[in-house]
């Protein structure tokens, strides 16, 4: 997820925790998409069986994670992954297989892994890595005394301006908690303010697991490189720095080099299985292809990208002819703020009214519980058309949880009023791996991945075959929906920062 892949999550603003089911099962009332006829229901069920028993998601994820490796947006590995996915869609026999380029302000890749240590009161190594889209440290590294900022707010930065100047500023989970709800753009603005007040560097101690730099996120909006060298510090090191600071001055140094290229074309990968009717309507089955680089992005989001390919493979293998077109999209730049899907939605705005639904997966391989529906009761009712099939997969639930309303690639569709669905799974395992060196293929559970891919395939095909397409929300309705699920401030923040 972005901000999870969800950058807000990456930056630790949202504590992992149990989500609450908003409804145990879809409503009993009539589905707004109508009832599947027997032949369509049989096709949906065959597809689910194919994905469960002979699905290719596990093998696709192995190829992405182990053979291609980490896939930072615009990197050589990302290009390789986009080429590989393109060739695979072609080999499977899909139509209109192509790549759609968009431009990122800058690509970013570590040139060296970081070195870092405490210099005083005693010498000790620190576990630290550069944050995403941070500039390199100056030659010789950043060296200075540490100042702990206890609240990441504009007021606190200004009130502490004298202490921040020429210091290395440390933030941790408590500093963010003290700031209250911070949207993505506002968070990055406040971090930029720390740099503007003359800090030499920024240490983010947001990790919740053992001493690894763990919570990579971007440090600047819209794919641009930030101005202040910013690093993630391991949890135990952060706690040590806090304890040492309680007893006197602490001096640290850190050093890393990052390679930046400006104005780079990045490709989304698109392929279709054409629908049989002439309405021009389509459903999107998507996920992000990019990942962070400390691990291999097997769970964030190798599982999602692999599920997209696996659904395409299973539909082709079963000779299924959907009523509406199935459009498969692998996005880049998700981790930098949904950049690939934002560009996609802009480029396809003229045909957005034909989009009968978007189905995204981005939370790794855990047993699916159902779908995030972001406050749309009509989506819950529409899912009622396939209650027996979703029940058999253990995934008949829905949640209105709003924290993830803009955390992955459905967001740019949701703001167009498109019926938007994100696979809903537990998150405990995911957040233990997400953006960390431990996000590797050995963590992927084949059964759970197949279950997730089956839920995606079954639901997307049911919406493609349904007698009616779901209606789109008007902008006013969409904004009301976001208020209802407490996601309106994040939407406003993204608009303010020219993301939407
Ligand atoms: Zn992700």
């Amino acid at each position: 997820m972005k901000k999870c892949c969800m950058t807000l999550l990456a930056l630790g603003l949202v504590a992992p925790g149990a989500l609450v089911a908003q409804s145990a099962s879809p409503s009993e009332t009539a589905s707004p998409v109508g009832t599947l006829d027997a032949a369509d229901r049989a096709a949906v069920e065959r597809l689910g069986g194919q994905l469960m028993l002979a699905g290719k998601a596990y093998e696709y994820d192995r190829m992405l994670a182990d053979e291609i490796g980490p896939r930072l947006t615009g990197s050589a590995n990302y290009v390789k992954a986009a080429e590989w996915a393109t060739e695979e869609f072609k080999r499977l026999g899909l139509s209109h297989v192509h790549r759609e380029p968009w431009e990122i302000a800058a690509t970013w890749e570590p040139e060296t892994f970081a070195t870092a240590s405490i210099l005083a009161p005693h010498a000790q190594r620190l576990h630290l890595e550069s944050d995403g889209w941070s500039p390199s440290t100056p030659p010789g590294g950043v060296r200075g005394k540490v100042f702990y900022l206890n609240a990441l707010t504009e007021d606190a930065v200004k009130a502490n301006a004298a202490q921040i100047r020429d210091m290395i500023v440390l933030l941790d989970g408590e500093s963010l908690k003290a700031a209250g709800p911070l949207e993505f753009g506002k968070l990055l603005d406040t971090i930029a303010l720390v740099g503007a007040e003359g800090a030499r560097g920024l240490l983010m101690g947001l990790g919740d697991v053992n001493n690894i730099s763990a919570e990579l996120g971007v440090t600047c909006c819209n794919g641009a490189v930030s101005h202040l060298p910013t690093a993630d510090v391991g949890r135990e090191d952060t706690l040590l720095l806090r304890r040492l600071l309680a007893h006197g001055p602490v001096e640290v140094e850190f050093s890393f080099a990052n390679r930046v290229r400006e104005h780079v074309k990045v490709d989304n990968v698109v392929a279709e299985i054409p629908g049989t009717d002439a309405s021009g309507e389509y459903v999107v089955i998507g996920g992000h292809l990019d990942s962070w680089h400390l691990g291999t992005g097997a769970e964030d989001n190798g599982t999602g990208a692999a599920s997209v390919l696996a659904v395409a493979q299973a539909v082709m293998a079963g000779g299924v002819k959907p009523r509406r077109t199935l459009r498969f999209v692998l996005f880049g730049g998700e981790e930098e703020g949904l950049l690939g899907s934002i560009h996609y939605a802009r480029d396809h705005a003229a045909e957005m009214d034909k989009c009968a639904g978007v189905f995204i997966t981005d939370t790794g391989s855990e047993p699916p519980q159902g779908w995030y529906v972001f406050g749309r009761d009509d989506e819950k009712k529409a899912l009622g058309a396939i209650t027996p099939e979703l029940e058999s997969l253990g995934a008949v639930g829905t949640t209105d949880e709003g924290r993830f309303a803009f955390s992955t690639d459905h967001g740019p569709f949701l703001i167009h009023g498109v019926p938007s669905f994100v696979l809903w799974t537990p998150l405990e395992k995911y957040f233990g791996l997400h953006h960390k060196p431990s996000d590797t293929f050995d963590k992927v559970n084949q059964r759970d991945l197949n279950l997730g891919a089956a839920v995606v395939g079954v639901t997307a095909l049911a919406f493609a075959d349904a007698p009616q397409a779901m209606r789109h929300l008007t902008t006013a309705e969409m904004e009301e929906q976001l208020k209802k699920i407490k996601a309106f401030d994040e939407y406003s923040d993204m608009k303010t920062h020219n993301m939407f």
Side-chain angles (χ1 to χ4, degrees):
M1 296 166 117
K2 118 174 160 295
K3 312 193 260 158
C4 128
C5 45
M6 301 216 225
T7 309
L8 287 185
L9 290 164
L11 294 172
L13 286 185
V14 182
L19 298 175
V20 178
Q22 304 292 315
S23 73
S25 64
S27 164
E28 304 274 315
T29 55
S31 164
V33 296
T35 307
L36 289 178
D37 65 27
D40 287 341
R41 185 172 298 280
V44 164
E45 291 177 353
R46 277 198 305 275
L47 180 66
Q50 172 84 10
L51 283 161
M52 279 304 300
L53 300 177
K56 299 288 186 262
Y58 192 66
E59 175 60 8
Y60 284 140
D61 197 2
R62 188 194 67 77
M63 292 173 84
L64 276 170
D66 281 358
E67 295 195 11
I68 295 174
R71 302 171 298 285
L72 277 168
T73 296
S75 65
N77 273 5
Y78 180 86
V79 172
K80 201 166 156 187
E83 287 170 351
W84 168 79
T86 304
E87 289 313 305
E88 185 60 17
F89 280 131
K90 285 182 182 166
R91 194 185 69 78
L92 294 172
L94 273 77
S95 303
H96 309 122
V97 180
H98 63 286
R99 295 198 285 271
E100 297 189 5
W102 50 276
E103 186 180 288
I104 189 164
T107 60
W108 174 95
E109 295 172 73
E111 191 95 57
T112 60
F113 284 107
T115 57
S117 55
I118 299 173
L119 301 172
H122 64 272
Q124 182 171 329
R125 184 194 164 202
L126 288 172
H127 299 77
L128 168 156
E129 293 296 346
S130 172
D131 250 311
W133 275 251
S134 161
S136 302
T137 54
V142 172
R143 174 189 282 236
K145 292 206 169 99
V146 178
F147 172 71
Y148 173 67
L149 183 62
N150 64 7
L152 183 63
T153 63
E154 197 179 319
D155 287 348
V157 173
K158 291 201 165 144
N160 290 288
Q163 291 96 316
I164 285 172
R165 176 156 300 280
D166 285 330
M167 301 287 268
I168 293 175
V169 172
L170 173 67
L171 297 171
D172 66 3
E174 287 178 34
S175 330
L176 293 190
K177 204 170 164 193
L182 264 180
E183 290 80 34
F184 178 58
K186 195 169 150 200
L187 168 75
L188 297 180
D189 288 349
T190 314
I191 287 174
L193 192 60
V194 172
E197 293 295 350
R200 293 184 187 177
L202 182 61
L203 300 179
M204 311 269 264
L206 303 175
D208 57 0
V209 293
N210 52 12
N211 226 346
I212 48 177
S213 57
E215 295 294 326
L216 292 171
V218 290
T219 46
C220 203
C221 267
N222 298 318
V225 173
S226 60
H227 299 292
L228 182 65
T230 302
D232 278 305
V233 195
R235 171 176 167 74
E236 284 79 358
D237 285 348
T238 303
L239 295 170
L240 173 62
L241 290 172
R242 290 284 312 272
R243 290 195 301 274
L244 291 173
L245 283 167
H247 293 277
V250 178
E251 190 175 4
V252 302
E253 68 175 359
F254 64 91
S255 175
F256 47 72
N258 297 320
R259 184 166 60 249
V260 170
R261 293 176 296 137
E262 294 186 324
H263 306 296
V264 177
K265 290 271 189 281
V266 176
D267 288 331
N268 295 331
V269 182
V270 184
E272 290 186 347
I273 297 174
T276 53
D277 78 8
S279 67
E281 291 173 347
Y282 60 95
V283 301
V284 169
I285 299 158
H288 71 89
L289 187 59
D290 61 301
S291 78
W292 286 106
H293 56 293
L294 296 178
T296 57
E299 290 260 321
D300 183 13
N301 182 33
T303 45
S307 297
V308 172
L309 282 155
V311 171
Q313 188 277 336
V315 172
M316 294 303 290
V320 180
K321 304 288 181 204
R323 175 174 302 179
R324 296 179 185 80
T325 293
L326 301 178
R327 186 177 294 173
F328 300 86
V329 189
L330 297 172
F331 300 102
E334 192 272 355
E335 298 289 4
E336 291 74 52
L338 314 181
L339 302 179
S341 50
I342 287 170
H343 279 277
Y344 182 90
R346 272 185 205 149
D347 293 346
H348 293 265
E351 58 159 7
M352 203 53 90
D353 61 331
K354 301 280 190 191
C355 185
V358 58
F359 302 87
I360 300 286
T361 167
D362 191 7
T363 54
S365 57
E366 296 201 61
Q369 296 163 288
W371 291 100
Y372 290 92
V373 295
F374 309 105
R376 280 191 70 163
D377 292 336
D378 58 346
E379 288 186 11
K380 296 174 198 168
K381 287 178 187 163
L383 289 166
I386 47 167
T387 294
E389 291 76 15
L390 291 175
E391 269 178 347
S392 78
L393 294 167
V396 79
T398 58
T399 175
D400 284 332
E401 173 63 53
R403 288 184 299 170
F404 305 132
F406 296 103
S407 294
T408 188
D409 290 312
H410 66 292
F413 296 84
L414 186 150
I415 64 160
H416 280 274
V418 173
S420 301
F421 299 82
V422 174
L423 190 70
W424 178 33
T425 69
L427 293 168
E428 282 73 17
K429 183 174 99 175
Y430 182 72
F431 281 125
L433 305 168
H434 162 264
H435 301 190
K436 299 178 180 67
S438 49
D439 184 359
T440 47
F441 186 66
D442 50 288
K443 311 306 185 307
V444 178
N445 180 300
Q446 183 172 13
R447 170 186 169 275
D448 293 344
L449 177 55
N450 279 348
L451 273 167
V455 173
V456 173
V458 159
T459 313
L461 182 60
F463 278 71
D465 280 346
Q468 295 107 41
M470 279 188 69
R471 67 181 285 267
H472 285 200
L473 299 185
T474 64
T475 300
E477 288 171 330
M478 177 273 292
E479 291 183 347
E480 274 310 304
Q481 173 203 358
L482 292 178
K483 284 176 189 160
K484 188 171 96 178
I485 63 170
K486 298 186 169 57
F488 186 81
D489 288 348
E490 194 178 355
Y491 162 70
S492 303
D493 177 82
M494 293 181 88
K495 281 211 301 189
T496 304
H497 290 83
N498 297 319
M499 296 181 73
F500 293 148

